[in-house]
Amino acid sequence: RAAARRAEQRETRVASGLAELDRWLCDQVRQGLAASQQAGYAHWDEIAARMVDAQAPGLAERLRALASVPHSGAGWDGRLLEEYALLHLLAVAYRRQAELPPPLRATVRSRIGFSLRQADVLAGGQPIRDHWQVLARRDLEQDRIRTRRTWLRGRKTGRDALLLSFAAAGQALDDSLAVGAETDADLVFYPGAVPLRAAVLARHDDSDGSDGGASGGAPLDAGPLDTGPPDGGTIAGLLGGYAAALAADPWLDSWFAVVEIIPVRGPAPAVRGADGGSLPLHPGAGDCWPLFALSGGRPVTLAGEWTPRGLWPLTAWDEDGRAVPL
């Protein structure tokens, strides 16, 4: 009964916080976006702090990230308005969550900050066994917490999976999954409209068939390195998959991509596919000289994260099929 009472109290706080956020968003649009370039970080920190008080940490994180948008170059006003619209959509979706299908409802609650315990996911989910290739990983740091995003792809299922590991500042992240390795494992996916995040239920790499304690989310000992590049897709296929995923989850921040491309300098770094399509590289990725050096003007298989601002390259494969983290 105490747990149910606490859960009910949180729902009330979140609903109140989202109502306040909606009023704040209306004020921003009514006042116009021009003043956002003169506003300091405190402008967004204040409303983010109120979302923390409302027990909606996912919203607080998204609001703090908006502080850099007015200084992100040409088109910043459109990007800021789009983020405001997505926040408004999230508030409306939460108010009407009873009408949503369960996967979308799970996504909405996750974006707001309702978290699921990994043990509950492992206990209640349907495991998927495959030989998972470790294709890419990316380390991020935010609020003194380091996050490692590791992307896997099943050889048989062709399914992509995102494993997350966390460490406090100064502590080492889980390094057991090296890019280029492969592991035979059971994964369980977190519920959502576009289920990408997964947890490890058991692994089968040991000769004795034991799970090595991985049922509690223990680190994996991945198999041999340099298992060869995955099959690369086309740019049109990437954009089509991303569009379908975005229709199911409008708040999707990034989409895993494996494409066959040739990097080109042009006015700005980009990649070009055999189908004639091209994609810009993310401005935050820099000049990407390692990618250009590895390609030498030849097609390469590239794995990375596609975002609205461009493709962030993470791994490429050389002529001998070896994975080269970028």
Side-chain angles (χ1 to χ4, degrees):
R1 286 197 299 270
R5 186 168 58 252
R6 287 194 299 271
E8 184 179 355
Q9 289 171 347
R10 183 180 183 186
E11 297 283 353
T12 301
R13 291 194 188 100
V14 170
S16 177
L18 283 170
E20 182 179 5
L21 175 62
D22 232 1
R23 290 192 296 271
W24 183 86
L25 291 170
C26 290
D27 289 342
Q28 305 312 302
V29 176
R30 187 180 301 111
Q31 295 165 9
L33 303 180
S36 300
Q37 284 194 309
Q38 285 71 47
Y41 279 84
H43 177 69
W44 286 274
D45 278 343
E46 182 180 349
I47 184 65
R50 295 206 287 272
M51 293 305 103
V52 172
D53 293 339
Q55 295 184 278
L59 293 174
E61 181 180 339
R62 202 169 185 108
L63 284 161
R64 289 193 183 100
L66 296 185
S68 62
V69 175
H71 310 285
S72 60
W76 69 267
D77 48 349
R79 290 190 291 273
L80 184 60
L81 187 59
E82 179 180 340
E83 289 295 329
Y84 285 166
L86 288 172
L87 285 167
H88 172 70
L89 181 63
L90 197 55
V92 172
Y94 179 78
R95 286 199 299 269
R96 301 178 59 179
Q97 60 178 309
E99 305 171 32
L100 303 179
L104 182 56
R105 181 175 182 269
T107 293
V108 169
R109 293 178 67 82
S110 173
R111 300 294 182 187
I112 288 171
F114 290 91
S115 59
L116 293 175
R117 294 194 312 152
Q118 180 173 281
D120 294 337
V121 173
L122 292 173
Q126 179 66 39
I128 297 177
R129 182 175 179 178
D130 206 336
H131 285 80
W132 300 92
Q133 292 177 282
V134 186
L135 299 184
R137 73 183 186 190
R138 182 182 177 193
D139 293 346
L140 303 172
E141 187 165 349
Q142 188 172 26
D143 294 335
R144 299 182 296 279
I145 296 294
R146 299 171 65 208
T147 304
R148 172 160 289 171
R149 298 165 57 86
T150 303
W151 287 100
L152 313 179
R153 175 169 288 180
R155 280 195 179 274
K156 291 183 295 183
T157 62
R159 185 164 182 175
D160 295 331
L162 173 63
L163 301 185
L164 299 181
S165 60
F166 305 93
Q171 295 183 349
L173 286 160
D174 174 25
D175 202 33
S176 59
L177 287 174
V179 174
E182 183 176 300
T183 185
D184 179 7
D186 293 324
L187 300 187
V188 177
F189 286 79
Y190 283 68
V194 183
L196 288 174
R197 186 184 175 187
V200 179
L201 177 65
R203 64 182 179 85
H204 310 281
D205 299 313
D206 293 338
S207 58
D208 62 0
S210 67
D211 68 3
S215 59
L220 292 173
D221 294 322
L225 296 178
D226 301 326
T227 56
D231 293 333
T234 64
I235 288 178
L238 159 63
L239 296 178
Y242 175 67
L246 201 62
D249 178 1
W251 307 279
L252 194 66
D253 296 319
S254 61
W255 181 247
F256 186 59
V258 180
V259 287
E260 290 287 338
I261 53 88
I262 298 176
V264 293
R265 296 302 303 171
V271 295
R272 186 177 66 244
D275 57 359
S278 64
L279 297 173
L281 294 181
H282 195 289
D287 292 325
C288 301
W289 287 115
L291 174 60
F292 285 90
L294 186 68
S295 167
R298 297 183 299 271
V300 295
T301 302
L302 176 68
E305 292 183 344
W306 170 248
T307 75
R309 298 207 65 196
L311 180 66
W312 194 295
L314 297 175
T315 309
W317 281 262
D318 64 15
E319 294 176 314
D320 298 323
R322 291 175 298 194
V324 180
L326 302 172

Short mmCIF file of all heavy atoms in Angstrom, two decimals, residues 2-20 51 53-57 59 90-91 93-98 105-106 108-110 112-116:
data_model
loop_
_atom_site.label_atom_id
_atom_site.label_comp_id
_atom_site.label_asym_id
_atom_site.label_seq_id
_atom_site.Cartn_x
_atom_site.Cartn_y
_atom_site.Cartn_z
N ALA A 2 1.98 1.22 0.74
CA ALA A 2 2.87 2.38 0.79
C ALA A 2 3.48 2.65 -0.58
O ALA A 2 3.58 3.80 -1.02
CB ALA A 2 3.95 2.17 1.84
N ALA A 3 3.88 1.57 -1.27
CA ALA A 3 4.45 1.73 -2.61
C ALA A 3 3.42 2.30 -3.58
O ALA A 3 3.74 3.16 -4.41
CB ALA A 3 4.98 0.39 -3.11
N ALA A 4 2.18 1.81 -3.48
CA ALA A 4 1.12 2.33 -4.36
C ALA A 4 0.84 3.79 -4.08
O ALA A 4 0.61 4.58 -5.00
CB ALA A 4 -0.16 1.50 -4.16
N ARG A 5 0.91 4.17 -2.80
CA ARG A 5 0.68 5.57 -2.44
C ARG A 5 1.79 6.46 -2.99
O ARG A 5 1.53 7.55 -3.52
CB ARG A 5 0.58 5.71 -0.92
CG ARG A 5 0.19 7.13 -0.47
CD ARG A 5 -0.19 7.17 1.00
NE ARG A 5 0.89 6.67 1.86
CZ ARG A 5 0.87 5.50 2.50
NH1 ARG A 5 -0.18 4.68 2.36
NH2 ARG A 5 1.87 5.13 3.28
N ARG A 6 3.04 5.98 -2.89
CA ARG A 6 4.16 6.77 -3.43
C ARG A 6 4.05 6.91 -4.94
O ARG A 6 4.32 7.97 -5.50
CB ARG A 6 5.49 6.12 -3.05
CG ARG A 6 5.86 6.26 -1.58
CD ARG A 6 7.31 5.89 -1.34
NE ARG A 6 7.59 4.50 -1.69
CZ ARG A 6 7.47 3.47 -0.86
NH1 ARG A 6 7.05 3.69 0.39
NH2 ARG A 6 7.75 2.24 -1.24
N ALA A 7 3.65 5.82 -5.62
CA ALA A 7 3.50 5.88 -7.07
C ALA A 7 2.41 6.87 -7.47
O ALA A 7 2.56 7.64 -8.43
CB ALA A 7 3.18 4.49 -7.61
N GLU A 8 1.31 6.87 -6.73
CA GLU A 8 0.22 7.80 -7.01
C GLU A 8 0.66 9.25 -6.79
O GLU A 8 0.32 10.15 -7.57
CB GLU A 8 -0.98 7.47 -6.14
CG GLU A 8 -2.21 8.33 -6.44
CD GLU A 8 -3.39 7.96 -5.57
OE1 GLU A 8 -3.28 6.97 -4.81
OE2 GLU A 8 -4.42 8.66 -5.65
N GLN A 9 1.43 9.47 -5.72
CA GLN A 9 1.93 10.82 -5.45
C GLN A 9 2.86 11.30 -6.55
O GLN A 9 2.81 12.47 -6.95
CB GLN A 9 2.65 10.84 -4.10
CG GLN A 9 1.73 10.70 -2.90
CD GLN A 9 2.49 10.51 -1.60
OE1 GLN A 9 3.70 10.24 -1.60
NE2 GLN A 9 1.79 10.65 -0.48
N ARG A 10 3.67 10.39 -7.08
CA ARG A 10 4.56 10.79 -8.16
C ARG A 10 3.78 11.15 -9.42
O ARG A 10 4.10 12.12 -10.10
CB ARG A 10 5.58 9.68 -8.47
CG ARG A 10 6.57 10.13 -9.54
CD ARG A 10 7.60 9.12 -9.90
NE ARG A 10 8.52 9.67 -10.88
CZ ARG A 10 9.47 8.98 -11.47
NH1 ARG A 10 9.66 7.70 -11.18
NH2 ARG A 10 10.27 9.55 -12.36
N GLU A 11 2.78 10.35 -9.73
CA GLU A 11 1.96 10.65 -10.91
C GLU A 11 1.35 12.04 -10.78
O GLU A 11 1.30 12.81 -11.76
CB GLU A 11 0.87 9.60 -11.08
CG GLU A 11 1.36 8.18 -11.31
CD GLU A 11 1.85 7.93 -12.73
OE1 GLU A 11 1.70 8.82 -13.59
OE2 GLU A 11 2.39 6.84 -12.97
N THR A 12 0.90 12.39 -9.57
CA THR A 12 0.31 13.71 -9.35
C THR A 12 1.35 14.81 -9.54
O THR A 12 1.06 15.84 -10.18
CB THR A 12 -0.28 13.78 -7.93
OG1 THR A 12 -1.27 12.77 -7.79
CG2 THR A 12 -0.92 15.14 -7.68
N ARG A 13 2.56 14.59 -9.02
CA ARG A 13 3.62 15.59 -9.18
C ARG A 13 4.01 15.76 -10.64
O ARG A 13 4.21 16.88 -11.12
CB ARG A 13 4.85 15.18 -8.35
CG ARG A 13 4.66 15.26 -6.85
CD ARG A 13 6.00 15.17 -6.16
NE ARG A 13 5.85 15.06 -4.72
CZ ARG A 13 5.92 13.93 -4.04
NH1 ARG A 13 6.14 12.77 -4.68
NH2 ARG A 13 5.79 13.91 -2.73
N VAL A 14 4.13 14.64 -11.35
CA VAL A 14 4.50 14.72 -12.77
C VAL A 14 3.43 15.46 -13.56
O VAL A 14 3.73 16.32 -14.40
CB VAL A 14 4.74 13.31 -13.34
CG1 VAL A 14 4.87 13.36 -14.86
CG2 VAL A 14 6.00 12.69 -12.73
N ALA A 15 2.16 15.15 -13.32
CA ALA A 15 1.07 15.82 -14.02
C ALA A 15 1.10 17.32 -13.76
O ALA A 15 0.91 18.13 -14.68
CB ALA A 15 -0.27 15.23 -13.61
N SER A 16 1.35 17.71 -12.51
CA SER A 16 1.44 19.13 -12.17
C SER A 16 2.64 19.78 -12.86
O SER A 16 2.55 20.89 -13.38
CB SER A 16 1.54 19.29 -10.65
OG SER A 16 1.70 20.64 -10.30
N GLY A 17 3.77 19.07 -12.86
CA GLY A 17 4.96 19.61 -13.51
C GLY A 17 4.77 19.79 -15.00
O GLY A 17 5.20 20.80 -15.58
N LEU A 18 4.10 18.83 -15.65
CA LEU A 18 3.87 18.94 -17.09
C LEU A 18 2.90 20.08 -17.42
O LEU A 18 3.04 20.74 -18.45
CB LEU A 18 3.32 17.62 -17.63
CG LEU A 18 4.37 16.52 -17.79
CD1 LEU A 18 3.70 15.19 -18.09
CD2 LEU A 18 5.36 16.87 -18.88
N ALA A 19 1.93 20.33 -16.56
CA ALA A 19 1.03 21.47 -16.76
C ALA A 19 1.82 22.77 -16.68
O ALA A 19 1.60 23.70 -17.47
CB ALA A 19 -0.08 21.45 -15.72
N GLU A 20 2.76 22.85 -15.74
CA GLU A 20 3.60 24.04 -15.62
C GLU A 20 4.51 24.18 -16.84
O GLU A 20 4.71 25.28 -17.37
CB GLU A 20 4.43 23.95 -14.34
CG GLU A 20 5.31 25.18 -14.11
CD GLU A 20 6.10 25.09 -12.82
OE1 GLU A 20 6.05 24.05 -12.15
OE2 GLU A 20 6.80 26.08 -12.50
N MET A 51 11.25 20.66 -13.10
CA MET A 51 10.90 19.32 -13.54
C MET A 51 11.55 18.26 -12.64
O MET A 51 10.96 17.19 -12.41
CB MET A 51 11.35 19.10 -15.00
CG MET A 51 10.58 19.95 -16.02
SD MET A 51 8.78 19.73 -15.94
CE MET A 51 8.31 21.26 -15.09
N ASP A 53 12.00 18.70 -9.45
CA ASP A 53 11.10 18.71 -8.28
C ASP A 53 9.82 17.94 -8.56
O ASP A 53 9.23 17.34 -7.64
CB ASP A 53 10.75 20.15 -7.89
CG ASP A 53 11.96 20.93 -7.36
OD1 ASP A 53 12.94 20.27 -6.93
OD2 ASP A 53 11.93 22.17 -7.40
N ALA A 54 9.39 17.94 -9.81
CA ALA A 54 8.18 17.22 -10.20
C ALA A 54 8.44 15.74 -10.48
O ALA A 54 7.54 15.03 -10.93
CB ALA A 54 7.55 17.87 -11.42
N GLN A 55 9.67 15.30 -10.22
CA GLN A 55 10.08 13.91 -10.43
C GLN A 55 9.96 13.49 -11.90
O GLN A 55 9.53 12.38 -12.22
CB GLN A 55 9.28 12.97 -9.53
CG GLN A 55 9.55 13.17 -8.04
CD GLN A 55 8.82 12.17 -7.18
OE1 GLN A 55 7.64 12.34 -6.88
NE2 GLN A 55 9.51 11.11 -6.79
N ALA A 56 10.35 14.40 -12.79
CA ALA A 56 10.38 14.13 -14.22
C ALA A 56 11.79 14.41 -14.74
O ALA A 56 12.01 15.37 -15.49
CB ALA A 56 9.35 14.98 -14.95
N PRO A 57 12.79 13.59 -14.35
CA PRO A 57 14.18 13.87 -14.71
C PRO A 57 14.47 13.82 -16.20
O PRO A 57 15.36 14.49 -16.69
CB PRO A 57 14.97 12.79 -13.96
CG PRO A 57 13.99 11.68 -13.75
CD PRO A 57 12.66 12.36 -13.55
N LEU A 59 12.57 14.97 -18.60
CA LEU A 59 12.25 16.30 -19.12
C LEU A 59 13.32 17.31 -18.73
O LEU A 59 13.69 18.18 -19.52
CB LEU A 59 10.89 16.75 -18.58
CG LEU A 59 9.67 15.97 -19.08
CD1 LEU A 59 8.42 16.42 -18.35
CD2 LEU A 59 9.51 16.14 -20.58
N LEU A 90 4.91 15.68 -25.77
CA LEU A 90 5.14 14.75 -24.68
C LEU A 90 4.17 15.02 -23.53
O LEU A 90 3.63 14.09 -22.91
CB LEU A 90 6.58 14.87 -24.20
CG LEU A 90 7.17 13.74 -23.35
CD1 LEU A 90 7.03 12.40 -24.06
CD2 LEU A 90 8.63 14.03 -23.05
N ALA A 91 3.95 16.30 -23.24
CA ALA A 91 2.99 16.65 -22.18
C ALA A 91 1.58 16.19 -22.53
O ALA A 91 0.86 15.66 -21.69
CB ALA A 91 3.02 18.16 -21.95
N ALA A 93 0.80 13.74 -24.60
CA ALA A 93 0.78 12.28 -24.61
C ALA A 93 0.65 11.72 -23.19
O ALA A 93 -0.04 10.72 -22.97
CB ALA A 93 2.03 11.74 -25.28
N TYR A 94 1.32 12.36 -22.23
CA TYR A 94 1.22 11.87 -20.85
C TYR A 94 -0.20 12.05 -20.31
O TYR A 94 -0.73 11.16 -19.64
CB TYR A 94 2.21 12.60 -19.96
CG TYR A 94 2.13 12.16 -18.52
CD1 TYR A 94 2.71 10.97 -18.10
CD2 TYR A 94 1.45 12.93 -17.57
CE1 TYR A 94 2.61 10.55 -16.79
CE2 TYR A 94 1.36 12.51 -16.25
CZ TYR A 94 1.93 11.32 -15.87
OH TYR A 94 1.83 10.91 -14.56
N ARG A 95 -0.81 13.19 -20.62
CA ARG A 95 -2.17 13.43 -20.15
C ARG A 95 -3.15 12.40 -20.73
O ARG A 95 -4.13 12.04 -20.09
CB ARG A 95 -2.63 14.84 -20.52
CG ARG A 95 -2.02 15.94 -19.68
CD ARG A 95 -2.83 17.22 -19.77
NE ARG A 95 -2.91 17.75 -21.12
CZ ARG A 95 -2.03 18.63 -21.62
NH1 ARG A 95 -1.02 19.05 -20.89
NH2 ARG A 95 -2.19 19.08 -22.85
N ARG A 96 -2.85 11.91 -21.94
CA ARG A 96 -3.76 10.98 -22.61
C ARG A 96 -3.17 9.58 -22.69
O ARG A 96 -3.51 8.80 -23.58
CB ARG A 96 -4.05 11.51 -24.02
CG ARG A 96 -4.69 12.90 -24.02
CD ARG A 96 -4.93 13.42 -25.43
NE ARG A 96 -5.81 12.55 -26.20
CZ ARG A 96 -6.19 12.80 -27.45
NH1 ARG A 96 -5.77 13.90 -28.07
NH2 ARG A 96 -6.98 11.97 -28.09
N GLN A 97 -2.29 9.25 -21.75
CA GLN A 97 -1.58 7.98 -21.82
C GLN A 97 -2.52 6.77 -21.76
O GLN A 97 -2.21 5.71 -22.30
CB GLN A 97 -0.53 7.88 -20.73
CG GLN A 97 -1.06 7.97 -19.31
CD GLN A 97 0.05 7.83 -18.29
OE1 GLN A 97 0.85 6.91 -18.34
NE2 GLN A 97 0.13 8.78 -17.36
N ALA A 98 -3.67 6.93 -21.11
CA ALA A 98 -4.61 5.81 -21.03
C ALA A 98 -5.13 5.41 -22.41
O ALA A 98 -5.58 4.27 -22.60
CB ALA A 98 -5.77 6.17 -20.11
N ARG A 105 2.93 4.02 -24.80
CA ARG A 105 2.80 4.51 -23.42
C ARG A 105 4.12 4.30 -22.66
O ARG A 105 4.56 5.17 -21.92
CB ARG A 105 1.66 3.78 -22.71
CG ARG A 105 1.43 4.22 -21.27
CD ARG A 105 0.19 3.54 -20.69
NE ARG A 105 -0.06 3.99 -19.33
CZ ARG A 105 0.43 3.39 -18.25
NH1 ARG A 105 1.20 2.30 -18.39
NH2 ARG A 105 0.17 3.85 -17.05
N ALA A 106 4.76 3.15 -22.87
CA ALA A 106 6.05 2.89 -22.23
C ALA A 106 7.10 3.90 -22.70
O ALA A 106 7.92 4.37 -21.90
CB ALA A 106 6.50 1.46 -22.53
N VAL A 108 6.54 7.02 -23.79
CA VAL A 108 6.22 8.33 -23.21
C VAL A 108 6.72 8.40 -21.77
O VAL A 108 7.37 9.37 -21.36
CB VAL A 108 4.71 8.60 -23.30
CG1 VAL A 108 4.31 9.81 -22.47
CG2 VAL A 108 4.29 8.80 -24.75
N ARG A 109 6.44 7.38 -21.00
CA ARG A 109 6.85 7.39 -19.59
C ARG A 109 8.38 7.35 -19.46
O ARG A 109 8.95 7.99 -18.58
CB ARG A 109 6.19 6.21 -18.87
CG ARG A 109 4.68 6.35 -18.78
CD ARG A 109 4.03 5.15 -18.10
NE ARG A 109 4.39 5.06 -16.69
CZ ARG A 109 3.81 5.75 -15.72
NH1 ARG A 109 2.83 6.60 -16.01
NH2 ARG A 109 4.17 5.60 -14.47
N SER A 110 9.02 6.61 -20.35
CA SER A 110 10.48 6.58 -20.31
C SER A 110 11.08 7.94 -20.62
O SER A 110 12.04 8.37 -19.97
CB SER A 110 10.99 5.53 -21.32
OG SER A 110 12.39 5.58 -21.43
N ILE A 112 9.81 10.79 -20.07
CA ILE A 112 9.56 11.70 -18.95
C ILE A 112 10.50 11.42 -17.79
O ILE A 112 10.92 12.33 -17.07
CB ILE A 112 8.09 11.59 -18.52
CG1 ILE A 112 7.20 12.25 -19.59
CG2 ILE A 112 7.84 12.25 -17.16
CD1 ILE A 112 5.73 12.02 -19.37
N GLY A 113 10.88 10.16 -17.64
CA GLY A 113 11.82 9.83 -16.57
C GLY A 113 11.39 8.70 -15.67
O GLY A 113 12.05 8.43 -14.66
N PHE A 114 10.30 8.00 -16.02
CA PHE A 114 9.92 6.81 -15.28
C PHE A 114 10.83 5.66 -15.73
O PHE A 114 10.80 5.26 -16.90
CB PHE A 114 8.46 6.43 -15.56
CG PHE A 114 7.46 7.38 -14.95
CD1 PHE A 114 6.99 8.47 -15.68
CD2 PHE A 114 6.99 7.18 -13.66
CE1 PHE A 114 6.06 9.34 -15.13
CE2 PHE A 114 6.05 8.04 -13.11
CZ PHE A 114 5.60 9.13 -13.84
N SER A 115 11.64 5.17 -14.84
CA SER A 115 12.62 4.15 -15.22
C SER A 115 12.15 2.77 -14.81
O SER A 115 11.37 2.60 -13.86
CB SER A 115 13.98 4.44 -14.59
OG SER A 115 13.87 4.47 -13.18
N LEU A 116 12.64 1.77 -15.54
CA LEU A 116 12.38 0.37 -15.21
C LEU A 116 13.65 -0.25 -14.66
O LEU A 116 14.75 0.00 -15.18
CB LEU A 116 11.95 -0.40 -16.46
CG LEU A 116 10.60 -0.04 -17.08
CD1 LEU A 116 10.40 -0.81 -18.37
CD2 LEU A 116 9.47 -0.33 -16.11
#
